[in-house]
Amino acid sequence: MTIEIDGHMALSSVTFDVDAGTLMGVVGPNGAGKSTLFNAIAGLLPVRRGTVTLNRVDQGGGELAYVPQRESLNWRFPVSASDVVMMGRCCRLGWFRRPGKRDRELVNACLGRVGLWDQRSALMTELSGGQRQRVFVARALAQEANVLLLDEAFSGVDVGAQEDLVGVLQALRDEGRIILLATHDMTNLAGRFDQVLCLNGYVCACGPPDQVLTSEVMEQMYGAHGVRLTMDGSGWTT
């Protein structure tokens, strides 16, 4: 796909495949086009050339759920974890349909999947950053989506909460879902992701982390002197 925004080429000839049951990390510097890519996949940005098809499911419908980088919740409004997840059901079924027993059961089940059933009545303002991210994942599950897009889900989340979230996502991957997660965190990519898509306005590389995260690819993304990175046994670290 090629995407142009206000006369600027945001993404050029981006092509990659994602198989069912894959957890893919999308990495690259600020301005590399990670959020632009997700917005295009979600149908929020027009694609100048090319098409978007994931798991043989065209963009749109209830098959895809998107957790954007900055959630648009009004944090002053007293909304609970269950309320947020129920928004996923309303998005799936229509806002004018009154949720029924099955919807409420599914909301509780989705919160249970992410380990937050006990926190279902807690206000979002009372939850930690990691717990909020898991609520948003539960909301995506409530949409019964096969494809999940998470933009900077690790932002503002401590390492322990990141690992909890990765565990949830890996379990969903094992059920056959496609999950794309954009991140700036280069720590332990090989342990977290099956595939890594390296972006910098174009595809620098795509494949298993231990194969594509070479010095040459890192230089394409960050430049020779932009970031000092070293490779250890667990992956790239700063």
Side-chain angles (χ1 to χ4, degrees):
M1 75 175 74
T2 295
I3 299 173
E4 192 174 285
I5 301 176
D6 296 330
H8 169 69
M9 192 69 70
L11 289 174
S12 177
S13 302
V14 171
T15 301
F16 64 98
D17 295 320
V18 189
D19 294 328
T22 300
L23 176 53
M24 173 178 278
V26 181
V27 300
N30 288 330
K34 300 186 294 295
S35 296
T36 298
L37 173 66
F38 281 12
N39 284 324
I41 293 173
L44 302 177
L45 276 178
V47 177
R48 180 179 175 185
R49 290 193 300 272
T51 59
V52 177
T53 303
L54 287 180
N55 199 23
R56 298 181 182 177
V57 178
D58 289 332
Q59 63 184 24
E63 298 291 344
L64 184 147
Y66 181 21
V67 180
Q69 184 172 350
R70 294 177 179 85
E71 282 293 339
S72 58
L73 285 177
N74 182 351
W75 296 105
R76 296 181 180 179
F77 188 78
V79 60
S80 70
S82 289
D83 292 333
V84 172
V85 180
M86 186 61 78
M87 293 176 189
R89 289 305 296 157
C90 294
C91 180
R92 169 70 169 166
L93 302 172
W95 291 99
F96 299 105
R97 178 186 178 279
R98 186 178 180 86
K101 179 180 178 181
R102 180 182 180 275
D103 300 312
R104 291 188 292 272
E105 290 175 345
L106 182 59
V107 165
N108 284 335
C110 291
L111 284 167
R113 288 296 313 275
V114 301
L116 289 177
W117 185 83
D118 290 340
Q119 300 291 327
R120 63 193 182 280
S121 298
L123 298 179
M124 291 293 284
T125 52
E126 299 171 345
L127 300 179
S128 68
Q131 288 173 324
R132 290 178 185 177
Q133 288 294 352
R134 282 188 280 156
V135 170
F136 295 136
V137 172
R139 184 186 63 184
L141 293 178
Q143 294 177 232
E144 299 180 293
N146 293 323
V147 180
L148 279 67
L149 308 177
L150 295 91
D151 195 354
E152 296 296 344
F154 295 152
S155 179
V157 177
D158 62 48
V159 174
Q162 289 183 23
E163 294 308 317
D164 290 342
L165 180 58
V166 169
V168 170
L169 298 178
Q170 288 175 338
L172 297 175
R173 175 228 26 218
D174 292 343
E175 295 175 359
R177 287 182 171 87
I178 291 173
I179 304 166
L180 275 65
L181 190 155
T183 180
H184 282 96
D185 191 343
M186 301 295 290
T187 305
N188 196 24
L189 292 179
R192 291 177 171 179
F193 300 110
D194 309 306
Q195 302 277 317
V196 173
L197 175 66
C198 302
L199 280 182
N200 194 8
Y202 61 96
V203 175
C204 303
C206 185
D210 58 352
Q211 296 181 22
V212 303
L213 291 173
T214 64
S215 298
E216 292 77 9
V217 170
M218 297 302 292
E219 184 171 340
Q220 286 185 59
M221 289 193 291
Y222 297 102
H225 307 292
V227 178
R228 182 177 180 180
L229 297 166
T230 58
M231 174 67 86
D232 62 18
S234 61
W236 287 93
T237 60
T238 56

